[in-house]
Amino acid sequence: IRGLYDDDVLYSFITEKPSSTPHVFTTANASYRALCESGSCQTVLISGESGAGKTETTKFVMKFLATAGACGGEPTPVEKQVLQSNPLLEALGNARTLRNDNSSRFGKFIELQFRPVSAQEASGAAFQGKHARLGGARIQTYLLEKIRVTDQQEGERNYHIFYQACAAAKADVSYQFPRLMKSGEPQTLDLSGLGPHSDFALLTKSSVFELNEVDDVLEFEKTVYAMQVIGFTPDDIQATVKVMGGILQLGNVQFQGGDQSKVDGSTDTALSEACRLFGIDKDQLADALTHRTVATRSEKYKTPITARAAQDARDALARTAYGITFLHLVDFTNVSIGYDPKLKLFCGVLDIFGFECFKHNSFEQLCINFTNERLQQFFNTFVFKQEEALYKKEGIPWDPLDFPDNQDSVDLIQEKPKGIFAMLDEECVVPNGSDKGFCSKLWKEHTGHRRFDIIKTKPEWFVINHFAGPVAYSSEGFLDKNKDTLGPDVVACMKASTNTFVRQRFEWWDTKFGDGSVKDVSGKKKSRLTVSSEFKDQLNVLMQTVDKTDPHFVRCLKPNPYNQPDIFERSSVTEQLRYGGVLQAVQVSRAGYPVRCNHKDCWLDYKSLLPTEVERQIAKKPEKDRAQAMLDHLTKQYDLPVSNGLSTAVGTTLVFFKQAAYEVLQAARLTFRSRRATKVQAKWKAVLERREFLFKLQCVRKINCLLRGKLGRVQARGARELRASLRLQSFARRNACRLSFIRMKRKLVLVQSRWRGKQGRRRATEFRRFRAAQKLQAVWRRRLQTRFWGGLRHAVTVVQERIRLRMAVSQMRRLREEQKEVGAIVSKLQHAQERNHELSEKVTKLEAENWHLKSEVAKIKKDKDSAEQTEDQLAKVKAEHASEMKKLKEKLAEVEAAAAASPPQRPTSGRMSAELSPQVVVNTEELDAARGRVTALEQQLADSRKDADEARAALVGGNADSAAAIALEQKSKEVSALRSDLERMREELKGARSQAAQLREAAATAAAVPAKPTASSPSASSGNAPVADTEAVQAMQQQMQQLKRQRDEAVQNYQNLLRNSTWGAGTTPSASSGAQPRPSISAQSAARARNVDIQLVGAVGVGKSWLLQGLIKACDPAESNKFEDQRSNLIAHYTIKVGGRPLKILDCSGNPRASRLVKEWFGKTKWVVVVYDLCSKDSLNHAISELLPQVAEAGAQVVLFGNKGYYHRDKPEVNLNEMLVLAKDAGAKNRAFVDEGDDLNPTVSKIMSEIASSAKGQDYSFKPENRGSVDMRHSESSDAKQDPRRGSVMDSVTGFMKSMLGANPTGTDKSRRGNEGVLRPSLKGPKSMRQTRPEAIADLRPVQKLHETESAITCICFGQERIRKAYILLVAASKDGNVVVYRCYRTEMEQHMLAGQDFQGEEGPAHPTGDHSNIAVHSRLMGHTRAITSCFFSLLEEQLVTTSIDKSVRFWQVDTGEMVKVFTDSSPIPVAAFLPFNPQVFVAANSNAVLRLVNVQNGGVLQKLKVETEVRSLKFDDTGLFLLAGTKNGSIHVLEASDSSSLKFKFKVQLARGGVTCITFVPARADAGGQSPPCLLVNTADSSVTIIDCTYGPPAGVLTNLTVRHRVKVAHSLLPLKCCYSPSGPGYLISGSEDNEVYIYSLARTSNYKMQFLKHHEVPVVAVAVNQMDTLLASADSLGQIVLWRRMDFSHIAE
C-alpha cells in the first residue's frame, strides 16, 4: 500500500489522544504517550516469523519515537545516530533466507532513553501536554547466527556486507566514497583484498548472489555513511573492511593430506592475502590451522591434525572473527550514541526472532524457541492481569479461569541441574562427551515428561512440546555449537597480529571466552562461558527489564509464504497466529465476557427489541438501572443461554455479554431492523427511482449527442497526434542512432590506429632483429662455404640449366599431348552425344528385328513339324523297304538260278525305287530349306548382337542414361544365350541332314540290284533327332518371348522412374521422358466415364482427413462446415473450388468394412491418391501390397503420397530416406507417381493441370508448381529441337576449366572494375529502396529464401554459365545427406550482359523473361546417410560429385537425380577434386590423412600419398599444375601435378593453429595499386581468414612460395565455414561466420581491408558462394535456410 508509512502519515499519528486506527504508529504513539504521561518505562515487543516484517516494523517504531522525541525541532545527533544504526546492523546482521530477502539473523533490544522537557522546549510539538525528548540509546544483541558465515543452504545468501564490499571492489579497488550518494565525508577505501563474489568460496555455496531491485554498491555506501554518522573513524572503517576481506580470503584456503594435513599449494595465494589483511604471519597461521598443541604436566608438543579438522579450525576462525567484529560494532555504536545511566525513563523496542519449526532443527532453533516460550509466558501473564483488573474495576463477579501456563516447558529447558541447557553444559565438560551421549541422557532423564517426547527410530533426536506445537530437534552438533571453540594456537596467532583492530578484538575474546586454565584476578580458574549459559543470562536480564515496563505488543503476520502481494493463505496465517500465542489470548478472553459496551450504547442498540409499553416504563430510569432492566426482560423474552449462572452482566461503566447471549440478541436486532428498513426503503426508493429515471432519460439523450461529436473529434485529433508523434520519433531515433554510430566509429578508429601502430612497431622491431640475425648467419655460413662454393658454383649452374631445360621440354611436350587428349575427349563426347540420337532409332530397329525373329521362330517350328512328318514317312518307307528287301532275299536264289529266264523282276525293283526316291528327295529338300532358314535367323541374331554391342559401348563412353544402358546390356546377354541355343539347333539339324543322306543312300541301294545281301541297314541309326529339334525350337521361342518381356519391363520401369523424378522436381514428365502416345478412343471414353476427379485412400491413421481439411481451408473455406459434418462417414463426397474450378473429391475411410465399396470406386475415379505415413512402415506396406495393385487393375491414375505431418510434429527416429526409396521403387513398378509433404495443395494443383490436359486430348503429364518457377515446356521443346551440347562443347570445357582453376569465365576484369560494389547489378530497384550510403554493400538486398530441409547446409556451389540456357544450377548439400539442385533463372539484366559475350557461336532459342524469384527444384539426390562434406560438377555439368562422412564418393545424374557410381573408402572423406587436365581422374582425401588418385572409369587407385594430418580442403591454382591442400592442424601442402595421373609434394607452409576449412584461389589482376599477384583466401578455425600471396618462379610458371599478406577477423572456431571471392570492383572476400553474419572485406590495398557485413540470418552462416557472372550471392546457415542476394540497379532513377 503506497504511502502507508510516509512522513505525512507519521506526523498525523503524533497526537495527544491515541488513535483507534490499526496501525504500527498507533502502538508507537500509545507507548510514547504512556511514557510521557505516566512517567513509566514502556516496551514495544515485535515478533513474527521470518519475512513477516519485524525488521521494517522496528525501523518504523524507532523512526516514530525519534521523530516524536524531537518535539517538533530539528533532530539531534543522537536521534540521527539511532536511526543510522539500522543500516549498519542490517548490513552485518541480515541475510537472504528462503523466506525473506532481508532476514535478521540476530535478536536485538533497543533502549531509547527519554528525558522530560518543559513546555518551552516542547513549544514546537504537534499537541499540548507532557513531552519527553530522546536523550540516549543502547542496543543489546542476542544469538548472532555465525554458522551462516561458512555455510548457507541453496537459495540463501551470506550476510549483506560481503556482497556489498565485493560489488564495490569490482567497481574500483581504490574506492572513492561517496560515488552514488550525495551525502557523506569523502574517504578512500582500500578494497585490494576483495573482488567479484565468484572468486570466494564462502559466497558461492548458493547460486543466489543478487537481490531483486537492490544495488549492492549503493547499499555499501549507505553502510559506510551510517558508520560515519555513528562516529567511526576512517581507520575503523578501513579495518572493518579488511576483516571482511580476510574472512573471505580465509574461506578460499583448502587443505590436503590424510592424517597430516597441509595447506593446498593452489590456495597459497589466498592464505597469503588473508594473512596480509589480518596482519599475521603466514607460516604461523598455516601451522596453527594444521597442528594442535597438546599440553601435559611437564611439556607441550604439537601434533598434526587431519584435513577435515583443519577445515573446521578454519571455519571456526572465520566465524569467530565475524562474531567479535559484529559485537565490537554494536558496542562502539552504543558508546557513540551515548547511554546515560542517570536517565531511568526509556522505551524499549524488542525485535526478536519468531517461533521456528523446520524439517531439521538444531541448537539455534532450540535457543530461539526457548526465547519465544519466555515471551509467551510473559504475554499470557499480561493478558490475564488485564482481564482480572477490568473485572475488578467494573465489579463483575467471575470465576478464575483455567489460565494456560507454560512454566513446565520453560523449566524443562533452563532448570538446573536437570534442564536441557544444564545437561548440555555438563556434557561439554565431560571428557569424550558426544552429541549422541547427550541425547541418550535426555531420554533417560526426561522420558515421561508431558513436554518431552522421543523418536525411537532416531536415537539422536528428541521432541519438545512447545506452546505452539511439538518440535523435533537433532542433537548433531549441539556440543560444538555450545562450546564455540577456537584453538589456542589460532587465538595466539591472531593476538600477535600487527593490525591493532584484529589484535584488540581477539584479546577481548580470549579474556571473555578463553580457556578455563587462565586465572582471573582472584587467582581462580575462569569457568568457560558457553553459548547456552550466556544466552540464558542475557534472556533473564531481558525479561527482568521487560517485567518492569508496560508492554505493547506488535504481531507481524505474513499473508503467504511466497512473498507475493494480494495473496492471502489462510492456513499459513492461522499457523502464525498459533505460533505467536494470539489464539491462546483469544481463548482467555472468550472464557469470560468477550463483548463489552457502555450503558448508553447498549440501550440504543437493543431498545427496539422491547415492547412499546416496557420501553416507556424503563426509559426514564438511570442508565445503569435502565440497562439492567432491559437485559432482564430480554433474557426472559428470548430465553438467552446461561453460562456459569449469568448470560449478561452490568458493571459500573460497561455492559458485559457472553458470546452465546450476544449472538442471539444481535440476530434478533438485525431481523427487526431489516423488516423496518425494507418498508421505508420501498416507498422512498420508488420515488427516487422514478425521479431519477425521468432525469436520466433526458440527460442520456443530450449526452449521446454530445459524446458522439466529442468522440469523433477526439479520434480525429488522436490520429493526427499519432502520425505526428511517429514522425517525430522516427527523426529523433534516427538522429540518436546516427550520433551514436559516429561516436562509436571515432572511438573504434582511434583504438584501431593505436593498436595497429603498436603492432606495427612490434613487428618492425622483430623484423629488424630477424634481418640482423639473417645477416650474421649469412656471413658465418659464407665463410664456411666459400671454398666449396667457389668450385661447384659453375658446375651446378650448368647442370641446373640443362635439367630445367629438359624438364621444361618434357613438360611442354606432356602439356601438348594432354591438350590433344582433352581435344580427343571432347570430340569423343561430341560423337557420343550424336550417337545418343541414333541409339533411340537403333532400339526401335532392334524391337522390329525381335518381332521378325519371333516370326522366324514360328516358321522354324512349322518347318520342324513338317520335318517330323517327313521322318515318320521315311520310317514307314524304311519298314516297307526292309520287308521288300526280305522278299528280294528270299527270291534271290531263284533269280540267280534262272537269271536269264526271269527278266520281268527287274522293272519291279526299279518301280519301287522310283516310288521311294521322290519321297526321300522331297524330305531332304525340306530339311535343307529349314536349315537355310535357321542359318538366316542366326545371321540376323548376329547382326542384332553386333548392334547391341555398339550401342552399349556408345552409351557407356558417352555417359548416357544408366537405366537404358543396363537394359541394352541385359538384352545383349539374352541374345548371346539365344545364339548358343541356335548353335545347338544347328548341330541337331546337321544330324538330321546326315540321316537324310543315309536315306538317300538307302534309296539308291534299293534302286540297284545288289550282288549279294547287305549286312546292315542305314535305317537303324534314325535316333531321336526330330524330338530334339522340336524341343530346341520351343526353348528358343520361349527365350525370345522372355527377352521381349524383360525388355518391355525395363523400358517401362525406366519411363516410370523418369516420370517420378520429374514429378518430384516440378517439371513435366513428357518433356523429360520423350513424347507420350495419344490416348485411344476407348481410353478417352473410359476417362469420360470416370466422374470423380480425386479419391483419397489409405490405412487408418495416416492423416487423410487432416490433409483434406488443410486443402479445404486453403482453397474453399466455405466447405469447412460440410467437412466437419461428414467427417465421421466411411465415404464422403466433396466438391470444392481450386483456382476457380470445381473439383470432385471422394474421401474414403481406411476401415476394413469399407474396403469393398472403396474398391468399386476405383473404376469411377480419374486419379487415386494413396496416402501413407512416413513414420509408419506398415502403412507403406499396406499401400504397396493392397491398394496400388487394385488401383492399377481398375485403370485409374495413381499418386503415392507420403504424409510428413506426423514426422514434423513428433520427430521420430525413422529412416526417412529408406521409406522414400521404397516408395519410389513401388511407384516405378506400379506406374504410380510418388510425392511427399504435409500439404495436398501442390499435388492437387498438378493433378488439376493433368485433368485439364486430358480434357483437351493430351496425355497425362505434369506441370511445375506455381511457386516462382517458369513453365519449362517451351524451353524443353526448344532444347529437343536442338541439342544444347551440340556446338557448345568447347564452351563447356572452357567454362569448366576456368571454374576449376579459379579464372573468370564471363567477362574481363576491365568490365568489372567499373563496378565498385560487391556483385554486379542484376535487378532494377525502386526508388524507395535506394540508399545514399557509399558502402559497397549499400545496394545488396536479399531477394529469395530457400528452405527445403531442417538440417544444416554444409556446402553450396553454382554451376557453369551456360549461355543458351535461361538458368544456372545451384547445389545445396545438407547435414542429413540430401542434396537439392535448384534452377536459378536469370534476370533481364543478366540476359543483357550475356548478349555481348563471344560465346554465342550459334543462334539458339530466345531466353525466357527472367525474374529474381524464379527458383525451381531441378532434382533431388538422396543416397548419402550422413553429412555431405563437399560437392562439385563434372566437365560438362551432366554429373555431380559429392563426398560424405559415410565413407563414400558418389556420382549423380544432375537432370534425373539418379546415382551413377559409388566409390567407398575405409574412413570419412572430407573433400575431393577432379584433376584439371584429366577429368577421368579425381583426388580424394580421407580422415586417415591419405590422398588417393582414383580412375573414374574403373575405380582403380592410381596413387596414394600420406599426409601428416587430415586434409580438409583442396584447390588447384589457375595453371592447373599445383594442388593446394589445407590440413586439420592449420598447414597448407603444395603438391605438383607432374603428369595427368600422379602428384608429388612440393613444399609446406604452416599457417595457423586452427584447422583449414576452405581455400579459394584468386587469379592475378590489375587494381588501383598496380598488378595484384594471385592469392589465396583461406578460412581457418582460429577466427580469421588469411590472404596469402602466391609467388611463381623462377623458373616461370612454378609455384615457389606462399606469403601471408594479411589476416582479417571472422567469428570462426567450431563450424567448417566456407568463403568465396567476388571480382567486382577491387575484389571482395566473402565469408560465413558463427555470429550469424556474412563478412565482406575489400581486397584493395588502399582500403585497409575494410570490413562490412550482411545481417539477415538468425543462426551461424556456414557456406557462401558467388556465380561466375558475379551477379548472385548465396549464403546458407545451420538451419537449412539459403538466402540469395542481388545488387540493385538504380541507374534508371533520376538524381
Side-chain angles (χ1 to χ4, degrees), residues 1082-1116:
S1082 60
Q1084 295 179 3
S1085 61
R1088 286 193 295 269
R1090 302 178 185 269
N1091 53 6
V1092 177
D1093 295 325
I1094 298 176
Q1095 181 178 359
L1096 288 177
V1097 297
V1100 177
V1102 297
K1104 301 186 299 297
S1105 299
W1106 175 73
L1107 291 171
L1108 181 58
Q1109 183 180 13
L1111 177 64
I1112 292 176
K1113 288 183 178 180
C1115 299
D1116 195 355

XYZ file of all heavy atoms in Angstrom, residues 1082-1116:
251
model
N -11.036 -45.524 -77.062
C -11.604 -46.268 -75.935
C -11.106 -45.710 -74.615
O -11.857 -45.625 -73.637
C -11.251 -47.746 -76.056
O -9.843 -47.897 -76.051
N -9.835 -45.347 -74.585
C -9.303 -44.775 -73.349
C -9.967 -43.456 -73.029
O -10.263 -43.153 -71.870
C -7.791 -44.593 -73.472
N -10.229 -42.632 -74.066
C -10.887 -41.357 -73.810
C -12.313 -41.559 -73.337
O -12.794 -40.846 -72.444
C -10.852 -40.493 -75.071
C -9.450 -40.077 -75.489
C -9.455 -39.259 -76.747
O -10.517 -38.959 -77.288
N -8.270 -38.915 -77.222
N -12.982 -42.508 -73.913
C -14.356 -42.768 -73.451
C -14.367 -43.301 -72.043
O -15.241 -42.955 -71.236
C -15.026 -43.759 -74.398
O -14.319 -44.996 -74.406
N -13.372 -44.156 -71.701
C -13.299 -44.643 -70.314
C -13.009 -43.506 -69.354
O -13.534 -43.466 -68.241
C -12.219 -45.720 -70.212
N -12.176 -42.565 -69.773
C -11.898 -41.422 -68.910
C -13.131 -40.571 -68.697
O -13.359 -40.035 -67.620
C -10.767 -40.578 -69.525
N -13.955 -40.434 -69.774
C -15.185 -39.669 -69.601
C -16.160 -40.364 -68.675
O -16.973 -39.725 -68.019
C -15.823 -39.417 -70.979
C -15.094 -38.380 -71.809
C -15.929 -37.957 -72.988
N -16.144 -39.076 -73.919
C -15.348 -39.336 -74.941
N -14.298 -38.580 -75.179
N -15.596 -40.354 -75.746
N -16.070 -41.720 -68.568
C -16.977 -42.456 -67.678
C -16.602 -42.274 -66.220
O -17.394 -42.582 -65.338
C -16.974 -43.941 -68.043
N -15.421 -41.798 -65.940
C -14.982 -41.594 -64.555
C -15.447 -40.189 -64.120
O -14.940 -39.187 -64.596
C -13.470 -41.717 -64.439
C -12.938 -43.068 -64.908
C -11.425 -43.140 -64.832
N -10.921 -44.388 -65.380
C -10.728 -45.480 -64.657
N -11.004 -45.454 -63.368
N -10.274 -46.588 -65.200
N -16.372 -40.134 -63.183
C -16.991 -38.871 -62.788
C -16.427 -38.298 -61.503
O -16.896 -37.283 -61.018
C -18.506 -39.053 -62.644
C -18.835 -40.210 -61.706
O -17.932 -40.775 -61.096
N -20.101 -40.554 -61.610
N -15.450 -38.943 -60.873
C -14.805 -38.447 -59.665
C -13.379 -38.045 -60.031
O -12.652 -38.821 -60.665
C -14.802 -39.490 -58.535
C -14.060 -38.958 -57.323
C -16.233 -39.846 -58.151
N -12.981 -36.823 -59.651
C -11.636 -36.354 -60.018
C -10.550 -36.994 -59.159
O -9.572 -37.517 -59.686
C -11.574 -34.821 -59.881
C -12.506 -34.142 -60.872
O -12.651 -34.658 -61.991
O -13.072 -33.099 -60.513
N -10.706 -36.932 -57.838
C -9.661 -37.415 -56.922
C -10.321 -38.256 -55.847
O -11.352 -37.876 -55.287
C -8.891 -36.244 -56.277
C -8.170 -35.407 -57.339
C -7.873 -36.751 -55.263
C -7.475 -34.181 -56.778
N -9.704 -39.404 -55.575
C -10.161 -40.285 -54.498
C -9.012 -40.463 -53.506
O -7.904 -40.872 -53.887
C -10.607 -41.632 -55.046
C -11.121 -42.599 -53.978
C -11.591 -43.917 -54.568
O -11.556 -44.108 -55.780
N -12.012 -44.835 -53.732
N -9.217 -40.139 -52.215
C -8.214 -40.268 -51.159
C -8.412 -41.593 -50.438
O -9.485 -41.860 -49.886
C -8.333 -39.119 -50.157
C -7.872 -37.744 -50.615
C -8.124 -36.730 -49.527
C -6.405 -37.758 -50.957
N -7.390 -42.458 -50.466
C -7.443 -43.743 -49.777
C -6.173 -43.910 -48.962
O -5.188 -43.199 -49.151
C -7.612 -44.916 -50.771
C -8.924 -44.807 -51.515
C -6.431 -44.941 -51.749
N -6.182 -44.872 -48.070
C -5.023 -45.152 -47.223
C -5.445 -45.886 -45.975
O -6.642 -46.057 -45.678
N -4.450 -46.352 -45.204
C -4.728 -47.077 -43.973
C -5.295 -46.121 -42.921
O -5.299 -44.902 -43.082
C -3.460 -47.760 -43.459
N -5.750 -46.704 -41.828
C -6.319 -45.912 -40.734
C -5.195 -45.154 -40.027
O -4.163 -45.720 -39.709
C -7.073 -46.826 -39.737
C -7.606 -46.008 -38.569
C -8.203 -47.545 -40.442
N -5.416 -43.845 -39.791
C -4.470 -43.058 -39.014
C -3.318 -42.491 -39.794
O -2.333 -42.058 -39.204
N -3.369 -42.466 -41.135
C -2.257 -41.896 -41.913
C -2.426 -40.400 -42.132
O -1.523 -39.762 -42.641
C -2.129 -42.617 -43.269
C -1.799 -44.062 -43.066
C -3.415 -42.467 -44.090
N -3.579 -39.799 -41.760
C -3.740 -38.350 -41.854
C -4.454 -37.885 -43.105
O -4.254 -36.751 -43.538
N -5.323 -38.735 -43.697
C -6.043 -38.312 -44.913
C -6.968 -37.143 -44.611
O -6.978 -36.141 -45.328
C -6.848 -39.490 -45.466
C -6.034 -40.719 -45.824
C -6.881 -41.773 -46.497
C -8.017 -42.261 -45.607
N -7.538 -42.911 -44.394
N -7.768 -37.299 -43.554
C -8.740 -36.239 -43.234
C -8.022 -34.937 -42.871
O -8.474 -33.837 -43.204
C -9.632 -36.696 -42.075
O -10.346 -37.857 -42.432
N -6.894 -35.045 -42.173
C -6.144 -33.844 -41.802
C -5.629 -33.121 -43.036
O -5.703 -31.900 -43.139
C -5.008 -34.246 -40.873
C -4.107 -33.130 -40.508
C -4.372 -32.111 -39.683
C -2.765 -32.924 -40.991
N -3.296 -31.270 -39.593
C -2.295 -31.745 -40.378
C -1.928 -33.607 -41.848
C -1.026 -31.253 -40.611
C -0.653 -33.115 -42.090
C -0.216 -31.957 -41.474
N -5.115 -33.884 -44.018
C -4.629 -33.279 -45.252
C -5.773 -32.643 -46.035
O -5.639 -31.541 -46.582
C -3.929 -34.340 -46.102
C -2.594 -34.876 -45.556
C -2.136 -36.065 -46.379
C -1.532 -33.798 -45.566
N -6.932 -33.357 -46.109
C -8.080 -32.807 -46.839
C -8.611 -31.558 -46.158
O -9.007 -30.587 -46.811
C -9.171 -33.880 -46.933
C -10.451 -33.472 -47.695
C -10.103 -33.045 -49.103
C -11.445 -34.615 -47.703
N -8.590 -31.547 -44.814
C -9.053 -30.356 -44.092
C -8.170 -29.153 -44.403
O -8.650 -28.036 -44.601
C -9.068 -30.637 -42.601
C -9.608 -29.486 -41.758
C -9.600 -29.795 -40.287
O -8.972 -30.770 -39.858
N -10.284 -29.007 -39.507
N -6.847 -29.377 -44.445
C -5.943 -28.285 -44.805
C -6.181 -27.785 -46.216
O -6.124 -26.584 -46.485
N -6.470 -28.713 -47.167
C -6.748 -28.313 -48.546
C -8.021 -27.479 -48.615
O -8.086 -26.464 -49.322
C -6.854 -29.564 -49.420
C -7.209 -29.328 -50.887
C -6.098 -28.543 -51.573
C -7.462 -30.657 -51.606
N -9.066 -27.898 -47.894
C -10.339 -27.167 -47.939
C -10.175 -25.778 -47.329
O -10.672 -24.774 -47.854
C -11.426 -27.984 -47.214
C -11.741 -29.261 -48.006
C -12.688 -27.160 -47.035
C -12.719 -30.188 -47.328
N -9.459 -25.691 -46.196
C -9.258 -24.382 -45.576
C -8.463 -23.442 -46.475
O -8.708 -22.231 -46.480
C -8.548 -24.548 -44.241
C -9.415 -25.151 -43.153
C -8.670 -25.225 -41.838
C -9.552 -25.796 -40.732
N -8.832 -25.881 -39.437
N -7.518 -23.983 -47.226
C -6.677 -23.132 -48.076
C -7.393 -22.709 -49.350
O -7.196 -21.594 -49.829
C -5.374 -23.856 -48.418
N -8.225 -23.599 -49.942
C -8.808 -23.326 -51.250
C -10.274 -22.903 -51.177
O -10.699 -22.008 -51.901
C -8.662 -24.571 -52.141
S -6.950 -25.056 -52.427
N -11.068 -23.548 -50.332
C -12.510 -23.281 -50.298
C -12.991 -23.354 -48.859
O -13.556 -24.363 -48.416
C -13.248 -24.297 -51.175
C -14.677 -23.842 -51.476
O -15.081 -22.801 -50.918
O -15.373 -24.524 -52.245
